[in-house]
Amino acid sequence: MTFFRSRWVDRPAHVTELDPALLPRGFRSAGVAAGIKPNGLDVAVLASDEPATVSAARFTTNARVGAPVMVSREASLDRLRAAVANSGCSNVGDGRRGYETALATQSRAAELLGLDPPSVGLASTGAIGHELPRGPVLAGVESACAQLGADADAFSRAILTSDHAPKRCALEVDLTAGIVRLAAQAKGAGMISPRFATMFCFVETDALLTAETLDLLVGVCVKRSFDRISVDGQLSTSDTVFAFANGASGTPVEPESEDELRLGEALDALLRQLALEIVSDGEGAERVGRIVVRGAAETVEPVARAVADSPLVKAALHGADPNFGRVLQAAGQALPSDEPFLVDLAIEGRQVVCAGDVVGLDDARLRELEDAVRGEEIDFELTIPGEGGETEVFFSDLSEAYAAFNSQYVKGQG
Amino acid sequence: MTFFRSRWVDRPAHVTELDPALLPRGFRSAGVAAGIKPNGLDVAVLASDEPATVSAARFTTNARVGAPVMVSREASLDRLRAAVANSGCSNVGDGRRGYETALATQSRAAELLGLDPPSVGLASTGAIGHELPRGPVLAGVESACAQLGADADAFSRAILTSDHAPKRCALEVDLTAGIVRLAAQAKGAGMISPRFATMFCFVETDALLTAETLDLLVGVCVKRSFDRISVDGQLSTSDTVFAFANGASGTPVEPESEDELRLGEALDALLRQLALEIVSDGEGAERVGRIVVRGAAETVEPVARAVADSPLVKAALHGADPNFGRVLQAAGQALPSDEPFLVDLAIEGRQVVCAGDVVGLDDARLRELEDAVRGEEIDFELTIPGEGGETEVFFSDLSEAYAAFNSQYVKGQG
């Protein structure tokens, strides 16, 4: 079974899959149980051994950000050497106390790894609005730093919350100048939304490139992956992507070179598949939809979001109901109301709406359509008036399980 | 049991409740089973006997509107004498055929009632994207016009879809110039959203007023009622409010008079309570929340919508979970990310967040808060930076039942 399971992601010809828990040369990681969760791993440390490591980072655009995001944004984002993450309790909305816990975490990790505090990034996930207990986190950091090893197995488990399984992949990328490794570990299943999601993604490569090139590649690939998914339309307070390139392979990737393109293609496929794993692991999710919208450049994005975030469209996706009426209604909500509603819609390649009106479906064609929407990945293609714009959003279905999961009251869970 | 059940609606002192199915003098209505639904009443006709009747109307702002909305928008909206509604199949997205069915319905009703076609308004609700069968609708109109009577019992049932029970009220309003009657019948339970909802509301009064005064009163009251509710954030293709004033009481209501204020207060309370009934009858709903946002005028509305439409906030409301973290996250999604997150939040009058951070709650206060959110109506008050703005949105919870109801596949239901 290949990692690249989605039909919406092409595996580049020049990549080879490795053991998914491997790390590129010169990276080490660990994950430990520090008692923040009732059970399981909850503190994770990732570090690069190479002093010349460069990095890039992206964070949530929510106005309410967690203390780890505040501290990380002030760090040396192009010169990070390590990252510390915890799950089980998100350090958000706890004021001065939470901020000082984040600073203390950064300092302790830096001290143990022989680094300056600004070269350590932080990430935190779990219920928000509660005290993250400082003692257990610092003890967890100490324990993790003492156990750093060459794979990301425990690391990739320690960052999870409501995820069903680790989300990770390691690749060998065949460049013209040599072979490099590229790996990533991600988490996320709920509060996943517009403008990227309650998710973490840690990316490592031993390719030798500048911080500017890494930042450019990460920026483009995040826009095409985590930026294009929605489980529930809810932008998290703590979304974080950290990418590290430590040059340990000795294989250079120059700006605007063939190898930059090859590494970029590998990173693009990797992050898109990880983003799709987040959607398909959405809380209670059983199916993934993709809405593609083509038309006026300024309107494609709100229309795609309106469809992807409609609970009626999502519930229909869950029920394998080819409910084109709800797609029209959701699209109409985001389209200008003073213009003719001239849209076309195809579901799984079958045209069902033409110029705003439903195409008559005879019984045989309706049955065919019903069969077509029973799969795990359902494609919706919408054409709206205007030109120059095209976008896509991947979204999960809305099930009873999502509602049940998110309405179970956990005492004191703010 | 009074009609004005919500603590968020004050019953004006100068109104008296009548049998809720009554109509004001000079109005007649009927509801019949025309076979559009598998079972039950599905065609409804309302008419005023008074030639001097004035009217006002409001429609959805969705870009995809149904043929009945298209036809109604071209009618004599300040001089309507009658309305025809059907449930069971919404005449939306069926092109020329649907448009002609709407025109034929309007003409047939006008002919039977002795009116011009432009004095008949139309409304249609049910699954969208299917043919509304013309023959049964026209037969239903004929049958209903032959059975018009002085109450709105069958009428108020024939407009329902997934509603649990009729939503209606009849009031006597004590004006300084005399007593008038005011009644309304509404429907709606899903696809209820921003900028008013998959809902119909028919309002009748025998007060004597101008079309301008009626339009003004309806405009203000719709903004404070149907415009402020959300079941699922989904703006329908067919929302319609028709209001009629036929003067049959002989009691005049002059512009800017004490009596205009009194009638306005009665209409306001009536429509707000009906709007709350739509929310509390939301598909699968068990609880109603109110989010009040105060602060910068341009930001209060998107913040209130972000909270009211968050599936995480709605699921927490369902589970009686005082989950302030999710309210902060949703609010932060709609606030500018380059400004300090200085918000205050109170739940059921208890402050839980101050200047963006959670107020420490000891066990006793947390228990008190948990008890406070077990009721049927839960109040959230949020203060954001800035001044001059205040808004409120009423919203239903998100339950397994909503997800289950909306994912049951009905063959051919587009």
Side-chain angles (χ1 to χ4, degrees):
Chain A
M1 182 66 160
T2 171
F3 168 72
F4 297 101
R5 285 180 289 274
S6 175
R7 62 169 156 156
W8 294 312
V9 180
D10 294 323
R11 190 175 71 81
H14 56 288
V15 307
T16 308
E17 293 181 42
L18 305 174
D19 173 341
L22 275 186
L23 284 168
R25 282 153 287 199
F27 288 96
R28 291 180 299 147
S29 78
V32 300
I36 303 166
K37 286 178 182 166
N39 296 297
L41 305 178
D42 48 21
V43 169
V45 173
L46 170 71
S48 168
D49 297 331
E50 302 289 335
T53 300
V54 298
S55 66
R58 293 293 184 277
F59 302 102
T60 179
T61 56
N62 195 305
R64 163 79 302 182
V65 300
V69 173
M70 292 182 208
V71 170
S72 293
R73 286 198 298 213
E74 299 300 313
S76 308
L77 291 178
D78 58 349
R79 285 287 173 183
L80 295 176
R81 285 277 304 278
V84 177
N86 82 273
S87 55
C89 176
S90 194
N91 186 359
V92 179
D94 192 33
R96 180 116 216 111
R97 181 172 64 184
Y99 189 75
E100 286 173 357
T101 294
L103 284 178
T105 306
Q106 185 187 43
S107 294
R108 185 65 55 91
E111 187 191 331
L112 293 162
L113 298 168
L115 303 173
D116 293 331
S119 58
V120 178
L122 300 177
S124 183
T125 181
I128 73 181
H130 294 279
E131 183 183 0
L132 176 65
R134 195 176 304 174
V137 170
L138 297 183
V141 169
E142 284 171 24
S143 164
C145 286
Q147 298 176 31
L148 293 170
D151 74 70
D153 183 53
F155 176 85
S156 67
R157 294 178 187 279
I159 60 176
L160 305 181
T161 53
S162 55
D163 312 64
H164 286 100
K167 298 175 171 73
R168 61 198 185 184
C169 181
L171 300 173
E172 221 164 56
V173 187
D174 199 3
L175 304 183
T176 60
I179 286 175
V180 300
R181 285 186 180 177
L182 173 66
Q185 304 81 36
K187 65 105 2 191
M191 214 181 268
I192 294 294
S193 152
R195 300 181 311 277
F196 95 101
T198 298
M199 41 73 52
F200 297 159
C201 184
F202 301 87
V203 181
E204 309 86 17
T205 179
D206 53 15
L208 180 62
L209 61 167
T210 64
E212 291 70 28
T213 299
L214 182 63
D215 188 68
L216 177 79
L217 291 176
V218 167
V220 170
C221 293
V222 165
K223 277 201 172 46
R224 285 176 40 84
S225 57
F226 304 118
D227 211 14
R228 306 247 50 87
I229 61 177
S230 176
V231 169
D232 48 16
Q234 296 308 296
L235 178 65
S236 160
T237 56
S238 303
D239 300 328
T240 301
V241 173
F242 288 128
F244 302 84
N246 69 4
S249 66
T251 302
V253 175
E254 302 295 341
E256 299 183 37
S257 67
E258 167 71 12
D259 280 350
E260 186 193 38
L261 187 66
R262 290 165 83 96
L263 183 63
E265 284 175 357
L267 183 64
D268 183 57
L270 176 58
L271 298 197
R272 273 170 72 89
Q273 181 65 44
L274 282 172
L276 277 158
E277 295 210 352
I278 288 177
V279 178
S280 66
D281 194 24
E283 288 160 353
E286 292 181 7
R287 284 197 174 79
V288 177
R290 180 177 75 151
I291 173 77
V292 177
V293 183
R294 298 183 185 93
E298 67 284 7
T299 318
V300 292
E301 176 70 15
V303 168
R305 293 289 177 193
V307 173
D309 290 337
S310 159
L312 294 170
V313 170
K314 292 164 97 78
L317 175 64
H318 181 69
D321 171 2
N323 196 317
F324 33 85
R326 293 180 182 175
V327 177
L328 295 188
Q329 171 268 323
Q333 182 162 350
L335 281 166
S337 59
D338 52 354
E339 291 172 18
F341 186 78
L342 298 173
V343 314
D344 296 340
L345 174 67
I347 300 179
E348 283 292 304
R350 291 154 180 84
Q351 183 153 27
V352 293
V353 173
C354 180
D357 289 316
V358 175
V359 172
L361 294 174
D362 59 28
D363 273 1
R365 292 197 55 215
L366 184 60
R367 252 195 314 277
E368 198 186 273
L369 182 64
E370 290 165 14
D371 289 340
V373 299
R374 294 214 175 93
E376 287 184 6
E377 293 185 339
I378 311 301
D379 223 4
F380 301 83
E381 287 173 278
L382 191 68
T383 306
I384 63 174
E387 285 179 6
E390 173 165 348
T391 192
E392 63 184 345
V393 176
F394 301 98
F395 59 101
S396 58
D397 54 348
L398 173 63
S399 65
E400 300 97 296
Y402 178 93
F405 181 84
N406 282 298
S407 60
Q408 276 161 10
Y409 174 55
V410 178
K411 187 179 164 76
Q413 175 177 305
Chain B
M1 182 69 161
T2 172
F3 169 72
F4 296 101
R5 284 180 289 274
S6 175
R7 61 169 157 157
W8 294 313
V9 181
D10 294 322
R11 190 175 72 81
H14 56 287
V15 308
T16 309
E17 292 180 41
L18 304 173
D19 173 342
L22 275 186
L23 283 167
R25 281 152 287 200
F27 288 97
R28 291 180 300 149
S29 78
V32 300
I36 302 165
K37 286 178 183 167
N39 296 298
L41 305 178
D42 50 19
V43 169
V45 173
L46 170 71
S48 168
D49 296 331
E50 302 290 334
T53 300
V54 297
S55 66
R58 293 291 184 279
F59 302 102
T60 180
T61 55
N62 195 304
R64 163 77 302 182
V65 300
V69 173
M70 293 181 206
V71 169
S72 294
R73 285 199 298 214
E74 299 300 314
S76 308
L77 290 178
D78 58 350
R79 286 285 173 185
L80 295 176
R81 285 278 303 278
V84 177
N86 82 274
S87 56
C89 176
S90 194
N91 185 359
V92 179
D94 193 33
R96 178 112 219 114
R97 180 172 64 183
Y99 190 76
E100 286 174 357
T101 294
L103 284 177
T105 306
Q106 184 187 45
S107 294
R108 184 66 55 92
E111 185 192 331
L112 293 163
L113 298 168
L115 303 173
D116 293 330
S119 57
V120 178
L122 300 177
S124 182
T125 182
I128 73 182
H130 294 278
E131 182 183 0
L132 175 65
R134 195 177 303 175
V137 171
L138 297 183
V141 169
E142 284 171 25
S143 164
C145 286
Q147 298 176 32
L148 292 171
D151 75 71
D153 183 54
F155 176 85
S156 66
R157 294 177 188 279
I159 60 177
L160 305 182
T161 52
S162 53
D163 311 65
H164 286 101
K167 297 176 173 72
R168 59 196 187 186
C169 181
L171 300 173
E172 220 164 56
V173 187
D174 199 1
L175 303 182
T176 62
I179 286 173
V180 299
R181 286 186 179 178
L182 173 66
Q185 304 80 35
K187 68 104 359 192
M191 215 180 269
I192 295 294
S193 153
R195 302 181 310 276
F196 97 100
T198 295
M199 41 72 52
F200 297 160
C201 184
F202 301 87
V203 182
E204 309 87 16
T205 180
D206 52 16
L208 181 61
L209 60 168
T210 63
E212 291 71 28
T213 300
L214 182 63
D215 188 68
L216 177 78
L217 291 176
V218 167
V220 169
C221 293
V222 165
K223 276 199 173 48
R224 285 175 40 83
S225 57
F226 304 118
D227 211 12
R228 308 248 48 87
I229 61 177
S230 176
V231 169
D232 49 15
Q234 295 309 297
L235 179 65
S236 160
T237 56
S238 302
D239 301 328
T240 300
V241 173
F242 287 128
F244 302 85
N246 69 3
S249 66
T251 302
V253 175
E254 302 296 339
E256 299 182 36
S257 67
E258 166 71 13
D259 280 349
E260 186 193 37
L261 188 65
R262 289 166 82 99
L263 184 63
E265 283 175 358
L267 183 64
D268 183 57
L270 177 58
L271 298 197
R272 274 169 73 87
Q273 182 65 45
L274 283 172
L276 277 158
E277 295 210 352
I278 289 176
V279 178
S280 65
D281 195 22
E283 288 159 354
E286 292 181 8
R287 284 198 173 78
V288 178
R290 179 176 75 151
I291 173 77
V292 178
V293 183
R294 298 183 185 94
E298 67 283 8
T299 319
V300 291
E301 177 71 13
V303 169
R305 293 290 177 193
V307 173
D309 290 337
S310 159
L312 293 171
V313 170
K314 293 164 97 77
L317 175 65
H318 181 70
D321 171 2
N323 196 317
F324 33 84
R326 292 180 182 175
V327 177
L328 296 187
Q329 171 268 322
Q333 183 160 351
L335 281 166
S337 58
D338 53 354
E339 292 172 17
F341 186 79
L342 298 174
V343 315
D344 297 337
L345 174 67
I347 301 178
E348 284 293 303
R350 291 153 180 86
Q351 184 152 25
V352 292
V353 173
C354 181
D357 288 317
V358 175
V359 172
L361 294 174
D362 59 28
D363 272 2
R365 292 196 54 214
L366 184 60
R367 252 195 315 277
E368 198 186 271
L369 180 65
E370 289 165 15
D371 288 340
V373 298
R374 292 214 177 94
E376 286 184 8
E377 294 186 339
I378 311 300
D379 222 5
F380 300 83
E381 288 174 277
L382 190 68
T383 306
I384 63 174
E387 284 179 7
E390 174 166 346
T391 193
E392 62 185 346
V393 175
F394 300 98
F395 60 101
S396 57
D397 54 349
L398 173 63
S399 65
E400 301 97 296
Y402 178 92
F405 181 84
N406 282 297
S407 60
Q408 276 161 11
Y409 174 55
V410 178
K411 187 179 162 77
Q413 173 178 306

